[in-house]
Amino acid sequence: MKINLIEKNIENGVSEIEIFFVKSVENLADKEILEILDFKAKDESCILLAESKKIYVGYEEDNYDSLAIAAATAIKKLQTTKFKNARIELNEKLESNFKAIVEGALLGEYKFTTYKSEQEKEIKIELEILVDNKTSELEKILRESKIISKAVNKARDMVNTPPADFYPKVMAKKAKKIAEELELDVKVEGEKFLEENGMNAMLSVGRASVHESQLIHLTYKPQNPQAKIVLVGKGLTYDSGGLSLKPADFMVTMKADKSGGCAVLSTLWAIAKLELPFEVHGIVGAVENMIGGNAYKPDDVLKAKNGKTIEVRNTDAEGRLVLADCLSYAQDEIKDIDYIFDYATLTGACVVGVGEYTTGIMGNNEILKRNAVLSALKSGEYATTLDFNRFLKKAIKSEIADICNIANTRYGGAITAGMFLDNFIADENKEKWIHFDIAGPAFVEKPWGYNPHGASGTGVRMTIKFLQDLVEGN
């Protein structure tokens, strides 16, 4: 979609249809017909008046979420027509939510139809947004929102791609392509490197797959960076559960287990395009967890890169093993880290606890966690904190190793997984680390808001907003 920002006093006759955002039907010229059609000024309500070439879309609140959903709803309705050009005229309240309208439109437009045998001819939509004054601030928001939305859609594309076409080496190629496009540094290492560097936890998870595991390290280094940020992503391109095999129904959607890694790659792309003033390292453990004669087993004891030993009691708790080595690698390779964040579709327990639309945020620094939640909410993503406690720490104690990869209780599973990862954060980085469990919102098998069926690109917007808030704070 092409979006143009235009001043209202400029004559223009390109638009074929107009989109109206409606908080109340009172005083509308088409009030009578809208009432006959039972249109309500509510979120996700939308009416197309084809003869008068108008789309009315309802919204309930003057905030990001409500208006982004409205923009997405209107664009989806527009996609059911053959109109190619539309316009939206913003009043003062809508203009103050310009970012929401742009991002809602661009995210709502997204479709994943790569594997459809009959491809519909795509109608390229041009959207004109009319404002009183085309200020530099509005132009800046438009540019940034286009980049952020494109990054989210890149993540969606990667996550939605089936495992036969997206395995660890494909993920590495994606990272190399990003590096080539934006002149970033990239390093990709295979299983020999993992073995030589004591990354036995990650190595063991991918051992039974025909696809070699890949450690990806992508780096963006601007001049005079204000801080050093490390983003670590779980890149399970497919997770069968290993020998602790998942039930058949639970294997469906496991292509989405790479969502954390995809979020990291797409976020790096956006950071570079936005030229944010931070040195940012993106580290992804791209692995496929399969079964075979050489698969790692329950009862194995694995030694991670930082020297800690892990008793394996369930091979389906594999993401934390990959992250354990990736987090250790990051802290060994990168010194003087200011923030280290990891992203993972880590636990079904998080989905049970906070629902399928919300990210669980964990760590040791209360202020940092709450700032991350605030950035997420401002960006349009849902998030909440889940607190560690001393009693759950006992649940991952092992009698034969330093730590166990699953808890001895079914309760608090998201938190015990986060506390497992805390064992692989060095003391000097404890207060700088956040774990994002994105298991719920990363992939949902029904449309929600401006998100389609499937991948949502969770993690990209909240991370960009967190970094933008850092810039503004300085």
Side-chain angles (χ1 to χ4, degrees):
M1 179 191 300
K2 185 178 181 182
I3 300 180
N4 299 312
L5 190 61
I6 297 172
E7 291 189 351
K8 292 177 185 177
N9 58 3
I10 295 175
E11 280 296 324
N12 129 62
V14 174
S15 302
E16 299 170 335
I17 189 167
E18 187 164 5
I19 297 169
F20 295 88
F21 287 71
V22 181
K23 198 174 181 183
S24 169
V25 295
E26 296 299 322
N27 303 319
L28 290 178
D30 294 309
K31 177 184 175 184
E32 185 178 348
I33 186 68
L34 290 175
E35 288 179 342
I36 290 170
L37 295 171
D38 199 29
F39 173 81
K40 300 286 194 302
K42 300 289 185 183
D43 289 344
E44 299 189 63
S45 62
C46 192
I47 288 286
L48 166 65
L49 302 181
E51 187 175 345
S52 54
K53 297 182 179 179
K54 295 176 182 178
I55 291 175
Y56 286 97
V57 61
Y59 73 99
E60 297 171 33
E61 299 177 70
D62 296 302
N63 60 26
Y64 181 101
D65 219 29
S66 195
L67 284 161
I69 290 170
T73 303
I75 294 302
K76 287 173 185 174
K77 178 65 75 174
L78 185 61
Q79 287 176 322
T80 67
T81 75
K82 291 189 177 181
F83 292 117
K84 296 179 181 177
N85 303 286
R87 66 185 258 175
I88 300 171
E89 187 171 326
L90 301 188
N91 58 30
E92 189 176 336
K93 283 187 177 179
L94 292 177
E95 194 169 307
S96 66
N97 285 283
F98 181 57
K99 177 182 174 70
I101 291 169
V102 173
E103 292 180 6
L106 292 170
L107 297 175
E109 179 196 31
Y110 176 87
K111 292 180 180 178
F112 186 74
T113 59
T114 305
Y115 291 86
K116 294 284 188 182
S117 58
E118 292 184 13
Q119 292 287 325
E120 293 181 10
K121 187 176 180 182
E122 185 181 355
I123 296 176
K124 294 196 183 230
I125 296 170
E126 187 168 339
L127 181 63
E128 294 178 346
I129 300 182
L130 277 62
V131 295
D132 289 321
N133 295 298
K134 190 166 72 169
T135 64
S136 58
E137 179 61 25
L138 287 174
E139 289 181 321
K140 180 186 175 187
I141 291 170
L142 178 59
R143 177 184 171 272
E144 289 183 351
S145 293
K146 283 179 177 179
I147 290 170
I148 292 167
S149 300
K150 189 171 181 178
V152 171
N153 287 336
K154 279 178 177 287
R156 288 170 168 180
D157 279 344
M158 286 190 278
V159 174
N160 282 327
T161 303
D165 294 331
F166 202 106
Y167 41 88
K169 284 192 175 179
V170 174
M171 200 167 201
K173 285 179 183 176
K174 293 286 184 184
K176 290 175 182 177
K177 187 176 180 181
I178 291 170
E180 184 180 357
E181 177 190 351
L182 299 170
E183 298 182 351
L184 309 182
D185 295 330
V186 65
K187 182 166 69 171
V188 175
E189 303 289 356
E191 292 177 353
K192 184 178 179 183
F193 178 91
L194 301 181
E195 185 176 3
E196 290 174 349
N197 287 270
M199 299 177 71
N200 298 299
M202 178 175 166
L203 180 65
S204 296
V205 173
R207 205 163 64 197
S209 174
V210 296
H211 297 295
E212 184 182 6
S213 298
Q214 304 283 289
L215 177 68
I216 300 164
H217 185 169
L218 193 61
T219 307
Y220 166 68
K221 280 187 181 180
Q223 289 187 342
N224 305 313
Q226 294 179 11
K228 192 179 291 184
I229 320 288
V230 178
L231 311 177
V232 179
K234 172 187 172 184
L236 264 291
T237 59
Y238 189 74
D239 178 23
S240 68
L243 292 180
S244 304
L245 197 63
K246 292 178 184 289
D249 288 351
F250 284 75
M251 278 196 226
V252 179
T253 75
M254 278 300 103
K255 64 181 180 181
D257 219 17
K258 58 183 179 287
S259 296
C262 296
V264 167
L265 296 183
S266 295
T267 301
L268 255 292
W269 180 88
I271 288 167
K273 293 289 283 186
L274 293 168
E275 298 180 333
L276 295 181
F278 304 105
E279 178 180 325
V280 186
H281 296 261
I283 293 161
V284 178
V287 183
E288 189 177 66
N289 184 24
M290 298 296 287
I291 59 173
N294 62 337
Y296 81 118
K297 310 166 188 68
D299 281 345
D300 278 349
V301 174
L302 310 177
K303 188 174 183 181
K305 191 178 192 304
N306 71 343
K308 292 213 170 184
T309 55
I310 305 163
E311 179 188 358
V312 177
R313 296 186 71 89
N314 190 317
T315 64
D316 195 22
E318 85 302 325
R320 64 200 71 181
L321 300 178
V322 173
L323 287 175
D325 273 342
C326 288
L327 288 165
S328 299
Y329 165 86
Q331 293 166 97
D332 286 346
E333 291 290 311
I334 306 157
K335 302 305 177 187
D336 302 318
I337 295 170
D338 291 291
Y339 298 98
I340 179 167
F341 300 159
D342 75 73
Y343 306 79
T345 46
L346 206 64
T347 65
C350 193
V351 189
V352 172
V354 301
E356 58 189 342
Y357 307 113
T358 302
T359 294
I361 292 180
M362 288 161 260
N364 302 295
N365 185 327
E366 293 300 320
I367 294 173
L368 182 58
K369 285 191 296 181
R370 295 186 188 281
N371 285 342
V373 169
L374 183 59
S375 292
L377 297 176
K378 286 192 291 185
S379 78
E381 296 194 35
Y382 293 94
T384 188
T385 57
L386 297 173
D387 295 333
F388 293 165
N389 71 69
R390 67 174 65 205
F391 302 105
L392 280 175
K393 187 176 181 180
K394 299 174 184 178
I396 51 174
K397 182 177 180 290
S398 169
E399 296 298 326
I400 64 168
D402 296 329
I403 191 171
C404 186
N405 81 322
I406 58 165
N408 59 17
T409 173
R410 62 185 295 185
Y411 303 112
I415 298 172
T416 54
M419 295 179 79
F420 174 93
L421 294 177
D422 185 49
N423 283 269
F424 303 91
I425 302 296
D427 289 343
E428 65 268 22
N429 293 321
K430 294 284 188 189
E431 297 291 308
K432 305 171 183 178
W433 166 66
I434 292 179
H435 163 55
F436 296 86
D437 192 331
I438 61 173
F443 194 96
V444 180
E445 286 198 282
K446 55 183 176 287
W448 52 291
Y450 40 79
N451 294 292
H453 169 282
S456 67
T458 294
V460 175
R461 286 182 297 153
M462 66 170 132
T463 307
I464 295 297
K465 185 57 184 168
F466 181 89
L467 297 183
Q468 288 175 328
D469 287 345
L470 284 182
V471 176
E472 291 170 9
N474 290 336

